[in-house]
Amino acid sequence: MKNLICTIEARMGSKRLPGKCMMTLSKNYRLIDFVILNALKSNYLSKKNIFILTSQNKNNFKLISYIKNKYDLKIIIGSEKNVLSRYLKLEKHNSTVLRLTADNPMIDPNLIDKSILYFKKSNADYASSRLRGNLLKLKIKNNYPKGISLEFFKMKALLKFRKKFNKRNWEYPTWFFYNKTFKGKTRKIKLFNDYSNVDNFSFTIDTKQDLERLKNLITKYQLKPGENNFKKYIKNLN
């Protein structure tokens, strides 16, 4: 897709699990490794269009150094609290943005590719695999479990709200798209056939318990970063 950018929001200052981005999930691989390598496995993403969005806090220096030395990715450094300000530093304001977060290690390369094509075809301003708030003003079930989250938006659509950026929405870049006031075209990313057998397991890492649960899952199914791990997990449920 032309002008596609993938952002990975990552920081070490999590209140519930400080430093989680650099925590080990399996032998030789940290949480941030899973997220980055899964994104790099996509047919539409590479070092050229993946941006790590982090903050200028000192506790992120280790994370920044690790990513630079191991992956040589572009890193946007901005405010700790004002996540929206980091997006304003992106090079291309006419881009389509795929938003990922560093606490979701099971995001699937195959699902990324299918969703990119879906968003392109939909011609929407915003699309998400998990709905929240009043998006579309409809009661729609979230088919994908927590932690398998993909969000797409057009940067031009976000910038229309630039004058409304304030402390209430600084931390939530896509807040405007699932708010009642948004008048653009929004879509829910459908549940693709090869992901039909999905349970309520949570794949995100917010707490120490989440971390241990995912580590056990990775060991049990011999999951590795850069592979279709979510799909592999589903197949093992059958």
Side-chain angles (χ1 to χ4, degrees):
M1 179 188 291
K2 187 178 180 180
N3 294 327
L4 174 67
I5 283 177
C6 172
T7 61
I8 301 175
E9 294 175 20
R11 65 188 181 97
M12 297 287 279
S14 169
K15 293 180 180 179
R16 286 180 285 184
L17 189 61
K20 63 182 176 182
C21 284
M22 292 291 284
M23 291 182 178
T24 301
L25 276 186
S26 64
K27 186 178 180 180
N28 300 324
Y29 296 112
R30 303 171 189 262
L31 170 54
I32 192 64
D33 291 320
F34 269 79
V35 181
I36 290 175
L37 290 172
N38 289 345
L40 285 171
K41 190 67 175 180
S42 164
N43 292 319
Y44 302 97
L45 302 177
S46 69
K47 291 182 179 181
K48 294 181 179 180
N49 64 346
I50 294 177
F51 292 78
I52 304 297
L53 271 56
T54 190
S55 87
Q56 57 201 6
N57 281 20
K58 291 182 179 180
N59 58 2
N60 289 317
F61 290 175
K62 181 180 178 181
L63 173 66
I64 293 169
S65 178
Y66 181 80
I67 294 172
K68 281 184 176 179
N69 292 332
K70 189 167 184 177
Y71 297 105
D72 191 30
L73 293 176
K74 299 174 183 178
I75 300 177
I76 302 293
I77 301 173
S79 168
E80 174 76 8
K81 294 183 178 180
N82 190 350
V83 180
L84 274 165
S85 70
R86 303 178 207 168
Y87 280 88
L88 297 180
K89 292 186 177 184
L90 290 171
E91 294 178 353
K92 298 179 180 179
H93 284 184
N94 63 336
S95 300
T96 292
V97 178
L98 162 59
R99 177 179 180 246
L100 304 178
T101 56
D103 51 5
N104 294 336
M106 289 285 284
I107 194 64
D108 188 276
N110 185 53
L111 182 58
I112 289 175
D113 286 351
K114 286 179 177 289
S115 299
I116 287 172
L117 294 175
Y118 173 81
F119 185 73
K120 181 180 180 181
K121 187 177 180 180
S122 73
N123 197 32
D125 295 298
Y126 173 84
S128 174
S129 60
R130 286 181 59 81
L131 302 185
R132 57 177 128 176
N134 295 294
L135 183 62
L136 302 179
K137 301 178 183 178
L138 298 172
K139 294 181 179 180
I140 304 176
K141 179 183 177 182
N142 281 321
N143 294 321
Y144 292 99
K146 188 178 180 182
I148 308 298
S149 301
L150 290 156
E151 284 186 293
F152 292 87
F153 64 88
K154 291 180 179 177
M155 183 62 81
K156 287 183 179 179
L158 177 65
L159 292 177
K160 289 180 180 179
F161 297 99
R162 191 167 185 167
K163 292 182 179 179
K164 296 184 179 181
F165 291 177
N166 56 52
K167 291 183 178 180
R168 287 190 311 153
N169 50 54
W170 276 354
E171 292 187 58
Y172 309 101
T174 56
W175 181 85
F176 300 97
F177 297 114
Y178 51 83
N179 185 270
K180 285 182 179 180
T181 60
F182 182 63
K183 304 298 182 182
K185 186 177 180 181
T186 57
R187 288 290 182 269
K188 176 188 174 185
I189 298 173
K190 67 177 183 179
L191 184 64
F192 301 105
N193 290 335
D194 43 353
Y195 291 90
S196 58
N197 187 10
V198 183
D199 61 9
N200 293 319
F201 191 94
S202 174
F203 296 98
T204 197
I205 296 181
D206 288 324
T207 65
K208 188 174 181 180
Q209 290 73 23
D210 293 335
L211 180 72
E212 293 303 318
R213 186 171 68 246
L214 262 293
K215 286 173 71 173
N216 291 335
L217 183 76
I218 288 168
T219 300
K220 180 179 179 180
Y221 295 112
Q222 299 180 336
L223 305 181
K224 298 178 181 179
E227 297 184 357
N228 295 331
N229 289 324
F230 181 46
K231 190 172 181 179
K232 184 177 182 180
Y233 167 75
I234 293 172
K235 286 183 177 179
N236 276 285
L237 293 177
N238 297 327

